[in-house]
């Protein structure tokens, strides 16, 4: 079945260093991929999502590239900020195949940025 | 602005107690979801629905019932609460139309403690 794997449970960085959070997936179809961010005591909210035309989505300095050959959608940012400290979830949608709108979530990566 | 609200925001009950968590969305979305979030487990889908009167089983349904009374309202019922159900519960809504295809919008969460 469909699945999402986030290999790092915890990533700790110093402010100013680059961020890369890994996400790989398995899907029967060609899915949409999402990154959600959840700050402390808040709800998850969408950070960015893949496009059907293969444009690279960007938001708040973060970007992700969908690589179908390697089934990956890694999240990147050139320079980490203290405010980036949060829990990040990668998720996929199977494009509603079979009528389901479910998202398959990875287990999340907690990013901690220190000064 | 899409809106998902939950009530109560905090709830304390005793083992064996009866609890109902409420969720309302004003997004005109067809799909609604209940998740629980626990440290080390990420977001886990309990139940979801694609319309009034419909209910689909999620990944961790044991001990939970749900009911979708209208397009706007989705309820999660714990009829014999147990300490293992102590968790943070999120409701979300989504649809498979338009620019927000498959994107889930989350409510603020309900923190449930079962003593």
């Amino acid at each position: 079945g469909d699945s999402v794997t986030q290999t790092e449970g915890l990533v700790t960085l110093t402010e100013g260093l680059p961020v890369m959070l890994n996400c790989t997936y398995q899907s029967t179809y060609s899915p949409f991929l999402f990154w959600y961010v959840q700050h402390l005591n808040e709800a998850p909210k969408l950070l960015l999502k893949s496009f059907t035309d293969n444009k690279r989505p960007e938001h708040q300095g973060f970007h992700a590239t969908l690589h179908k050959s390697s089934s990956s959608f890694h999240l990147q940012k050139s320079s980490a900020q203290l405010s980036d400290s949060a829990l990040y979830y990668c998720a996929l949608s199977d494009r509603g195949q079979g009528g389901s709108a479910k998202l398959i979530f990875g287990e999340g990566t907690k990013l901690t940025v220190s000064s | 602005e899409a809106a998902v609200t939950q009530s109560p925001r905090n709830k304390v009950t005793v083992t064996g107690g009866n609890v109902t968590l409420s969720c309302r969305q004003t997004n005109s979305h067809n799909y609604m979801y209940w998740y629980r979030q626990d440290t080390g487990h990420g977001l886990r889908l309990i139940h979801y629905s694609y319309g009034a009167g419909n209910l689909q089983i999620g990944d961790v349904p044991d001990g939970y019932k749900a009911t979708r009374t209208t397009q706007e309202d989705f309820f999660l019922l714990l009829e014999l609460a147990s300490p293992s159900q102590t968790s943070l519960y999120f409701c979300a809504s989504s649809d498979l139309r338009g620019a927000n295809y498959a994107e889930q919008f989350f409510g603020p969460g309900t923190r449930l403690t079962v003593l």
Side-chain angles (χ1 to χ4, degrees):
Chain A
D2 293 356
S3 65
V4 174
T5 301
Q6 295 179 248
T7 51
E8 312 108 337
L10 175 65
V11 172
T12 303
L13 289 173
T14 301
E15 192 177 19
L17 291 180
V19 179
M20 180 161 166
L21 305 184
N22 292 320
C23 174
T24 57
Y25 65 90
Q26 287 188 322
S27 178
T28 306
Y29 303 96
S30 182
F32 280 115
L33 274 295
F34 300 81
W35 277 100
Y36 280 80
V37 60
Q38 184 181 17
H39 289 96
L40 189 63
N41 296 324
E42 295 183 6
K45 60 184 178 183
L46 183 70
L47 179 60
L48 49 79
K49 61 186 177 184
S50 62
F51 287 104
T52 54
D53 59 2
N54 293 320
K55 284 195 300 186
R56 189 180 79 169
E58 297 192 26
H59 187 60
Q60 298 179 346
F62 286 94
H63 63 269
T65 303
L66 181 61
H67 289 289
K68 294 180 181 178
S69 59
S70 59
S71 298
S72 68
F73 191 59
H74 304 320
L75 183 67
Q76 296 178 272
K77 187 176 184 181
S78 59
S79 177
Q81 298 176 285
L82 296 176
S83 58
D84 295 330
S85 295
L87 182 58
Y88 292 82
Y89 288 104
C90 183
L92 75 82
S93 167
D94 65 2
R95 298 196 180 207
Q97 299 292 340
S100 171
K102 280 173 49 178
L103 291 184
I104 309 298
F105 284 91
E107 293 199 353
T109 298
K110 183 178 181 180
L111 174 65
T112 300
V113 181
S114 58
S115 57
Chain B
E1 176 82 17
V4 181
T5 56
Q6 295 182 233
S7 63
R9 295 293 311 279
N10 290 280
K11 176 73 177 178
V12 180
T13 190
V14 296
T15 299
N18 201 321
V19 176
T20 298
L21 306 185
S22 302
C23 177
R24 167 164 283 200
Q25 56 100 359
T26 57
N27 305 326
S28 300
H29 286 165
N30 286 320
Y31 294 85
M32 296 185 74
Y33 311 82
W34 278 107
Y35 293 91
R36 61 177 291 174
Q37 184 180 42
D38 306 285
T39 303
H41 291 282
L43 290 165
R44 293 185 288 177
L45 181 65
I46 304 170
H47 290 298
Y48 64 107
S49 166
Y50 57 74
N54 175 263
L55 182 65
Q56 302 294 313
I57 306 299
D59 302 319
V60 290
D62 292 347
Y64 302 96
K65 293 184 179 180
T67 181
R68 180 89 176 270
T69 54
T70 65
Q71 187 186 37
E72 295 79 19
D73 298 301
F74 196 29
F75 300 93
L76 186 67
L77 295 80
L78 292 73
E79 293 185 331
L80 286 172
S82 73
S84 64
Q85 294 176 309
T86 293
S87 187
L88 180 58
Y89 291 86
F90 285 105
C91 177
S93 74
S94 76
D95 221 327
L96 296 179
R97 299 170 294 180
N100 299 123
Y101 184 100
E103 177 185 346
Q104 292 190 9
F105 294 83
F106 286 82
T110 295
R111 187 166 295 281
L112 175 66
T113 303
V114 184
L115 302 175

